[in-house]
């Protein structure tokens, strides 16, 4: 029922930018607190960004000032704009709605080279 499809990943040089997209179906993005997680190789999955239904955003310290979470309600899509990328940002990025145990999608691979 709930389907979240991540896209926009790729390989980028350090200092570059990527924009990830999370296309949602089965939920209304504007009525949910939405989150981005990432999982680096050999590490646990980590919450990196959150946007509430009222538009309040929060970020893990390591990405503050570099990443921006946003949504386009007309497209029912959540975005993660990633600027000034660092090699330590490398990992698989996942979209999720807060407060539910939905299955994880395939994620978007982000690789940042030095």
């Amino acid at each position: 029922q709930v389907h979240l499809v991540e896209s926009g990943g790729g390989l980028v040089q350090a200092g570059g930018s990527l924009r990830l997209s999370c296309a949602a179906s089965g939920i209304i993005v504007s009525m949910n607190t939405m989150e981005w997680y990432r999982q680096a190789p050999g590490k646990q999955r980590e919450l990196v960004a959150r946007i509430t239904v009222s538009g309040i955003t929060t970020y893990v310290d390591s990405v503050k000032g570099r990443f921006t979470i946003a949504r386009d309600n007309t497209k029912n899509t959540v975005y993660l704009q990633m600027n000034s990328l660092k090699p330590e940002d490398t990992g698989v990025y996942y979209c999720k709605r807060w407060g539910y145990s939905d299955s994880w999608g395939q994620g978007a691979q982000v690789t940042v080279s030095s």
Side-chain angles (χ1 to χ4, degrees), residues 38-99:
R38 69 185 178 189
Q39 187 167 25
K43 298 183 67 177
Q44 298 293 320
R45 207 185 310 264
E46 171 191 39
L47 176 67
V48 298
R50 172 182 288 149
I51 182 168
T52 71
V53 294
S54 60
I56 299 171
T57 58
T58 56
Y59 305 90
V60 68
D61 285 345
S62 60
V63 310
K64 285 181 179 177
R66 301 188 298 118
F67 289 14
T68 304
I69 187 172
R71 60 177 178 243
D72 185 336
N73 296 335
T74 65
K75 298 181 179 179
N76 206 36
T77 298
V78 183
Y79 302 97
L80 186 67
Q81 178 67 48
M82 305 183 294
N83 298 326
S84 302
L85 282 161
K86 304 175 180 180
E88 50 263 47
D89 296 318
T90 293
V92 181
Y93 285 70
Y94 303 89
C95 183
K96 185 184 181 295
R97 61 174 175 165
W98 177 88

Side-chain angles (χ1 to χ4, degrees), residues 1-5 23-29 32 34 76 97 100-105:
Q1 190 72 257
V2 177
H3 197 203
L4 303 174
V5 180
S25 60
I27 65 166
I28 300 174
V29 164
N32 283 270
M34 301 298 298
N76 206 36
R97 61 174 175 165
Y100 296 87
S101 58
D102 301 325
S103 298
W104 297 101

